[in-house]
Amino acid sequence: MRAIYLVITFILLVPFIGNTQCNKFAKKEVRPILDEYTNVGKTLSTISEPGYVSDVMLTFFSGLDYRIAFGADNEIGTSYFVIMDTEENHIYSSKDDNYSKTFDFSTQVTRQLIVRIISPEVYSKDRVMGCVAIVTGYK
Amino acid sequence: MKLMTPSKILIVSFFCFSALIGCDSDDSALDISQVDSSLRSPDADTEEKIKKTKHIYYTIPTPMETSHLLKKAGATFNYRFLNDVQNLKKYESQKSKALNLGVYGADLSFISIFDQTQETMFYMQCVKKLADDLGITQAVDKTTIERMEANVENRDSMTALISSTYQEIDQYLKENDREYTAALVILGGWVEGLYLATSLLNESEYKNEGIKTRILDQRFAYRDLKSLLKLSLSEAELEEIMTYIQPIGELFDALSETKSPMVVQTDTIKKKTMLSGDNKVDVDEKFFRQIHEVTSHIRDKIITEQL
């Protein structure tokens, strides 16, 4: 009975501990990469593991310069991010840009873009988890 | 930063359980491509894995970003459009407090962008009071207020602090499974931002084209908001919230839009990309008058505690 309680508690606490830790990760490790760009307040921080993909839909306005900053725990392999339009046509991949942690851009008209975080599959005997985060800034 | 390993989480769980029970360079630096479905698509193998494990998130433009854009569009500060700080004492229900936390948050962003230093502290106190009442003391603590008081004359620091506070409130509510309250705060902030924009346009006698563009931009925010709410709320909660914003949504949904292909132009030396391509929206003055009327009506209900 006690074991069952423990398992239930474990299951309930994993997302909470994970999200709190990943929010801290975003704040401490990724936000500083924004440099002179003002944090927009649009952040995605979540737990990932090899083989996981997370998409976030963001609106970017004309007339502003944006920076998308990215960070990931090394434990989950070489994660990277991809920028796509709403029909999932690729615009940019950090993998093709030497795994860059930033993408600086502006847009002629206001548009929605998808930022996809990809944590590639890696072979491991144990389950590996870590944080990934996207933080956006403007100037 | 290392995430807790499952074994560490198990140990923590055990103790918790026990205790509880712009491009001007030369052309050679430019990489130009037109985006279409045949370009740069992921390979089939990646596509298959994506389908298995994809998680989708939505976020909407923050009031600070909207305020910044309104100022750039030539809007001028007008105190009478803000929700009066005297209204604070009217808000008794948790729902009303959450909605008006969003409203005062948007007003605070607007004020700080226009350097109204004295009012900034008044509105910050409103935000703090409502956050305290909603049990979000952690997100707007004494230190936050002290840092704001110390930086009240420094707009960059203030905007950074306000953006960060907004984010802390949102994250705190979500981490504590209070998605409904988080949705109300976001909703209140979005309606207030749109109300300020449409009121400023009304004041310009519908002549400011920059503000018109920013109002039209909010159709994207409306779509994001709808998707965000669908993901995070129960059916009953979603239905209730959608009834508030449906009239605004109907106006945005009726707009006719023509898109031209996006052109991606990267300055490889400056490492900056420009996404070109036009979006034409078929719209007339009647639309802006209607959206002002509808938004004012909803906003009035929020600030007079009728929702």
Side-chain angles (χ1 to χ4, degrees):
Chain A
M1 191 64 177
R2 190 172 161 185
I4 294 170
Y5 279 136
L6 271 177
V7 170
I8 292 169
T9 311
F10 171 72
I11 291 166
L12 290 175
L13 279 175
V14 166
F16 177 73
I17 293 168
N19 284 332
T20 306
Q21 275 192 275
C22 292
N23 286 339
K24 284 181 186 160
F25 171 80
K27 205 186 290 182
K28 199 176 157 202
E29 306 291 334
V30 189
R31 209 185 278 179
I33 308 173
L34 288 180
D35 286 338
E36 78 270 34
Y37 290 80
T38 305
N39 176 22
V40 178
K42 293 184 291 198
T43 298
L44 167 66
S45 52
T46 186
I47 292 178
S48 188
E49 59 182 285
Y52 265 48
V53 171
S54 300
D55 282 0
V56 60
M57 175 85 84
L58 297 164
T59 298
F60 295 97
F61 294 94
S62 59
L64 294 177
D65 291 321
Y66 285 100
R67 167 168 289 181
I68 293 175
F70 170 73
D73 274 331
N74 292 331
E75 284 85 346
I76 49 169
T78 320
S79 298
Y80 59 97
F81 68 103
V82 172
I83 315 283
M84 300 178 291
D85 66 14
T86 50
E87 281 149 15
E88 301 205 2
N89 298 310
H90 284 209
I91 293 165
Y92 171 83
S93 169
S94 66
K95 190 180 172 185
D96 302 335
D97 190 17
N98 207 17
Y99 292 95
S100 173
K101 298 223 175 283
T102 58
F103 177 60
D104 295 346
F105 71 104
S106 51
T107 173
Q108 192 185 346
V109 290
T110 298
R111 62 178 86 241
Q112 289 178 298
L113 297 174
I114 298 167
V115 183
R116 173 168 290 170
I117 303 173
I118 301 171
S119 302
E121 298 263 27
V122 287
Y123 175 75
S124 171
K125 276 195 290 182
D126 305 313
R127 190 179 179 192
V128 190
M129 290 190 294
C131 293
V132 290
I134 285 285
V135 179
T136 51
Y138 71 84
K139 65 175 183 180
Chain B
M1 176 239 170
K2 281 190 175 181
L3 191 75
M4 278 188 184
T5 61
S7 59
K8 282 182 189 164
I9 292 173
L10 194 58
I11 292 166
V12 172
S13 304
F14 174 75
F15 283 111
C16 292
F17 175 71
S18 306
L20 180 74
I21 281 265
C23 304
D24 55 356
S25 61
D26 64 42
D27 284 348
S28 61
L30 292 179
D31 173 21
I32 303 172
S33 61
Q34 184 170 312
V35 173
D36 62 49
S37 53
S38 62
L39 256 178
R40 302 181 188 182
S41 292
D43 57 70
D45 191 34
T46 310
E47 199 85 83
E48 185 55 34
K49 283 169 192 162
I50 286 167
K51 278 176 194 160
K52 277 187 208 160
T53 55
K54 193 155 92 173
H55 304 260
I56 303 169
Y57 302 86
Y58 294 90
T59 178
I60 74 156
T62 58
M64 187 59 80
E65 203 176 5
T66 309
S67 300
H68 190 88
L69 289 161
L70 285 174
K71 189 177 184 191
K72 278 190 110 174
T76 48
F77 182 76
N78 194 328
Y79 189 76
R80 75 187 165 88
F81 295 141
L82 308 177
N83 185 17
D84 196 325
V85 291
Q86 296 300 324
N87 286 339
L88 181 67
K89 54 183 177 289
K90 290 183 192 166
Y91 309 130
E92 288 177 356
S93 69
Q94 292 287 299
K95 184 172 156 188
S96 177
K97 284 175 198 282
L99 283 166
N100 283 287
L101 174 57
V103 169
Y104 281 126
D107 286 346
L108 178 63
S109 302
F110 187 69
I111 293 165
S112 70
I113 286 287
F114 284 90
D115 296 317
Q116 304 295 311
T117 51
Q118 191 60 47
E119 281 75 16
T120 300
M121 291 320 294
F122 291 149
Y123 279 80
M124 192 62 215
Q125 291 298 341
C126 292
V127 167
K128 175 160 174 48
K129 169 78 171 64
L130 293 174
D132 284 349
D133 290 353
L134 289 164
I136 324 170
T137 316
Q138 238 175 296
V140 198
D141 58 11
K142 208 178 146 197
T143 318
T144 312
I145 299 289
E146 283 169 359
R147 285 176 68 195
M148 284 191 176
E149 280 167 351
N151 289 286
V152 75
E153 302 288 342
N154 183 336
R155 195 179 68 204
D156 289 345
S157 299
M158 282 304 278
T159 54
L161 276 165
I162 293 165
S163 288
S164 159
T165 304
Y166 185 84
Q167 204 173 335
E168 295 283 342
I169 290 171
D170 189 49
Q171 282 178 354
Y172 179 86
L173 290 169
K174 285 173 182 164
E175 279 170 12
N176 290 279
D177 291 327
R178 294 174 65 187
E179 302 280 357
Y180 176 67
T181 307
L184 291 173
V185 176
I186 291 172
L187 182 74
W190 182 68
V191 170
E192 182 71 356
L194 189 56
Y195 168 76
L196 290 172
T198 59
S199 300
L200 289 162
L201 181 64
N202 184 43
E203 195 180 48
S204 79
E205 294 173 341
Y206 294 88
K207 289 195 175 103
N208 188 320
E209 295 300 320
I211 298 177
K212 283 182 187 173
T213 302
R214 296 314 170 192
I215 292 169
L216 288 175
D217 287 346
Q218 292 303 313
R219 69 192 187 279
F220 297 113
Y222 174 73
R223 287 175 207 160
D224 290 340
L225 182 62
K226 247 190 347 183
S227 307
L228 174 78
L229 297 176
K230 269 185 196 165
L231 275 184
S232 56
L233 299 181
S234 70
E235 236 172 80
E237 289 168 342
L238 178 68
E239 200 179 323
E240 178 205 336
I241 288 192
M242 286 312 294
T243 56
Y244 306 151
I245 52 170
Q246 194 70 31
I248 300 175
E250 280 167 9
L251 287 170
F252 280 133
D253 288 342
L255 291 172
S256 157
E257 197 174 335
T258 319
K259 284 183 187 175
S260 61
M262 187 199 301
V263 176
V264 183
Q265 189 171 303
T266 302
D267 183 326
T268 51
I269 294 170
K270 289 184 176 172
K271 287 201 80 183
K272 284 205 169 172
T273 298
M274 169 57 114
L275 308 178
S276 309
D278 211 0
N279 280 358
K280 291 229 181 305
V281 183
D282 193 12
V283 69
D284 55 16
E285 193 177 305
K286 190 179 159 203
F287 165 83
F288 292 106
R289 288 186 184 277
Q290 281 177 326
I291 204 147
H292 176 53
E293 193 181 316
V294 166
T295 309
S296 302
H297 180 68
I298 298 165
R299 190 260 190 179
D300 195 47
K301 280 189 162 186
I302 292 175
I303 67 163
T304 56
E305 214 186 11
Q306 290 175 61
L307 282 188

